[in-house]
Amino acid sequence: MTGHFQQAIANHQKMIDELFAEEAKKKKDDADKASRKAESQRLTVRFMEDLIDSQIKIGQLKSSTVEIVLTHWNKLFGLEETQAYYVSIVVKLLTHDFYGVESASNWHI
């Protein structure tokens, strides 16, 4: 009888160990998935920034491109960050050497 009891305990311990191993694997898989998602988002953001910058540089930025980028930006970061990024695009356009606003005023306060 003692042998059956010890075997039952061993079987239960094995089941518990398997459950813990499955849970640890699931947590690791979830962490890996989150890491891959974060890396993908980082690369997407970098691509969007590079796209906008390169199109500004060559004077080919279109409103449709800005609209698409800002829509995606809003999904990732929310309204406040999107507005800040929009302002940075406007500043880049206004300060562009050839397409921006030029001020030749010598007026000083």
Side-chain angles (χ1 to χ4, degrees), residues 25 29-30 41 48 51-53 59 64 87 91-93 95 102-103 107 109:
K25 183 181 182 308
D29 290 346
D30 290 348
Q41 285 181 345
M48 289 187 299
L51 174 69
I52 294 288
D53 290 346
S64 59
V87 170
V91 168
K92 289 175 186 177
L93 287 168
T95 59
E102 181 179 339
S103 175
W107 186 74
I109 294 180

Side-chain angles (χ1 to χ4, degrees), residues 55-98:
Q55 288 187 353
I56 289 172
K57 185 176 182 178
I58 61 173
Q60 297 295 320
L61 184 62
K62 296 180 179 150
S63 62
S64 59
T65 304
V66 173
E67 183 178 351
I68 291 167
V69 168
L70 290 177
T71 299
H72 191 72
W73 200 275
N74 190 36
K75 288 178 187 176
L76 290 175
F77 302 112
L79 182 60
E80 200 170 299
E81 288 291 325
T82 303
Q83 290 171 338
Y85 185 58
Y86 178 75
V87 170
S88 76
I89 293 171
V90 170
V91 168
K92 289 175 186 177
L93 287 168
L94 289 174
T95 59
H96 190 274
D97 290 341
F98 299 108

